[in-house]
Amino acid sequence: MSDTTARAADPPAIQDAATAWPEVTGWTCPAPLRDTPRIVMGHGGGGALSAELVEHLFAPALAGPALAELTDSSVVTLGGARLAFSTDSYVVRPLFFPGGSIADLAVNGTVNDLAMSGAQAAYLSCGFLLEEGTEVATVARVAEAMGTAARTAGVEIATGDTKVVESGHGDGVYLNTAGIGLVPPGVDIRPKRAVPGDVVIVSGDIGVHGVAVLSVREGLGFDVEVESDCAPLGGLVQAMLEVTPNLHVLRDPTRGGLATALGEVAAAASVGVVVREKALPVPDPVTNACAVLGLDPMYVANEGKLVAFVPREHADAVLAAMRSHPRGASAAVIGECVEAHPGMVVARTGLGGTRVVDVPVGEQLPRIC
């Protein structure tokens, strides 16, 4: 039976309902379908959609040994030196928020990606993508903030570029930075090096950056102002490496938060990860904001925190070194790697239960970095 015949045979009530269906082509969904022929916002959220885009579209097209690890920074050898090399783009709204700005994110984000390979950042490039009509004073403010952030991080901006797009085709200012740094001898930090028995340590309070940006973007008022944790982590990593060069994994849990970072490591190394919810350092303002908004702090972005997978025999010394550094004063052990449930992260709840901590499909909070 043809579609036309079937429609003609439908009762009048069904025919009327069919012709009254709303136009839905422009609708969006916070949990987007994964089988879609078009790019959706979730592809930029750092979750499963982002991973699929990279692994199944970009990686095959751009295949090469340096790209194969699919880490935030790639370690390459050039002229006998081991270099960490990374790039990232930043589209946050608003451009300035409590505790930082898009310029701070651009500098610290790339510096931290290099640090997650054990490298001390040396040089950055910067690209400014400006929308026609943006006030010159705003661009100057961003540039000045970038210079200040670079000096604070101890890195030099060595080259850059500027492009202008038509009004309506940008969001004021977008930034791109790339960076290089030297990896010390004997240091091999990669997600695949996580093994059962590793202790999982987070360097401080989680969820702060995402809540800080959300509070100003949506005009939400909380009892206390929440400031972004945006900060360079190179010095903290160097303090950890002074204890032992045998750090297995370092990740900065930015887009997708701590949950996504742990999930990516578990999948890459085929290990299980167990997290104790009571051990998670979540400050009260973040807890309260997430309770009101229905968010899980484990999925909210950070910009000045790291999570480390450390051999058990070095865990106490590394934790002490972290707590002695200003960027790790609130460091805490939150869990461990196990042989069970490889590739999966689970959380032990306060009531003694267990829940799966999955990698999100899209994103909870768009444009936070």
Side-chain angles (χ1 to χ4, degrees), residues 88-360:
D88 208 340
S89 300
Y90 301 86
V91 296
V92 69
R93 189 179 72 245
L95 297 177
F96 297 88
F97 45 82
S101 68
I102 190 173
D104 297 287
L105 293 177
V107 171
N108 295 332
T110 297
V111 165
N112 293 346
D113 282 347
L114 296 173
M116 297 308 102
S117 292
Q120 186 72 41
Y123 297 101
L124 298 184
S125 70
C126 66
F128 281 74
L129 187 61
L130 309 177
E131 182 183 11
E132 179 187 22
T134 302
E135 294 185 1
V136 173
T138 299
V139 180
R141 188 180 173 194
V142 171
E144 290 169 1
M146 176 170 277
T148 299
R151 288 187 291 272
T152 300
V155 66
E156 181 179 348
I157 296 177
T159 187
D161 184 46
T162 303
K163 292 291 186 294
V164 177
V165 298
E166 295 89 346
S167 178
H169 289 74
D171 203 5
V173 179
Y174 292 161
L175 296 177
N176 172 273
T177 49
I180 57 172
L182 284 171
V183 179
V187 172
D188 182 17
I189 302 174
R190 294 176 288 122
K192 291 181 179 179
R193 293 199 66 216
V195 296
D198 279 356
V199 174
V200 181
I201 305 173
V202 68
S203 64
D205 292 344
I206 64 171
V208 180
H209 173 72
V211 170
V213 173
L214 183 66
S215 67
V216 292
R217 188 175 66 208
E218 305 299 341
L220 301 176
F222 302 114
D223 290 339
V224 297
E225 183 178 70
V226 180
E227 291 193 354
S228 171
D229 60 349
C230 184
L233 298 174
L236 175 61
V237 171
Q238 296 308 305
M240 298 165 68
L241 289 173
E242 288 176 3
V243 173
T244 175
N246 190 29
L247 302 177
H248 285 171
V249 184
L250 296 176
R251 292 300 299 268
D252 54 336
T254 53
R255 294 177 303 168
L258 179 63
T260 299
L262 295 176
E264 291 173 347
V265 174
S270 295
V271 297
V273 177
V274 177
V275 175
R276 296 184 297 279
E277 283 192 335
K278 282 189 173 181
L280 293 173
V282 185
D284 289 341
V286 172
T287 298
N288 296 337
C290 288
V292 170
L293 300 170
L295 303 175
D296 184 336
M298 289 189 69
Y299 292 94
V300 180
N302 314 269
E303 287 292 343
K305 301 296 187 298
L306 64 81
V307 58
F309 288 65
V310 182
R312 187 172 298 278
E313 62 268 25
H314 300 303
D316 288 343
V318 169
L319 179 62
M322 294 174 71
R323 288 177 172 173
S324 67
H325 191 279
R327 304 295 184 201
S330 301
V333 173
I334 62 169
E336 62 183 344
C337 281
V338 296
E339 293 183 358
H341 50 80
M344 183 182 296
V345 181
V346 301
R348 306 290 190 199
T349 68
L351 296 177
T354 301
R355 67 180 180 92
V356 174
V357 181
D358 204 357
V359 174

Side-chain angles (χ1 to χ4, degrees), residues 1-145:
M1 182 183 295
S2 69
D3 292 341
T4 303
T5 304
R7 177 59 64 194
D10 285 340
I14 295 179
Q15 294 182 40
D16 292 343
T19 57
W21 286 346
E23 174 59 49
V24 299
T25 55
W27 290 16
T28 60
C29 176
L33 296 175
R34 294 172 74 162
D35 184 12
T36 170
R38 299 181 185 275
I39 296 296
V40 297
M41 288 299 293
H43 282 114
L49 281 176
S50 293
E52 290 175 2
L53 188 68
V54 171
E55 293 173 12
H56 301 299
L57 191 154
F58 292 123
L62 308 175
L67 188 64
E69 291 283 344
L70 294 180
T71 52
D72 287 339
S73 62
S74 180
V75 177
V76 298
T77 301
L78 185 64
R82 293 176 69 224
L83 298 175
F85 181 33
S86 183
T87 186
D88 208 340
S89 300
Y90 301 86
V91 296
V92 69
R93 189 179 72 245
L95 297 177
F96 297 88
F97 45 82
S101 68
I102 190 173
D104 297 287
L105 293 177
V107 171
N108 295 332
T110 297
V111 165
N112 293 346
D113 282 347
L114 296 173
M116 297 308 102
S117 292
Q120 186 72 41
Y123 297 101
L124 298 184
S125 70
C126 66
F128 281 74
L129 187 61
L130 309 177
E131 182 183 11
E132 179 187 22
T134 302
E135 294 185 1
V136 173
T138 299
V139 180
R141 188 180 173 194
V142 171
E144 290 169 1

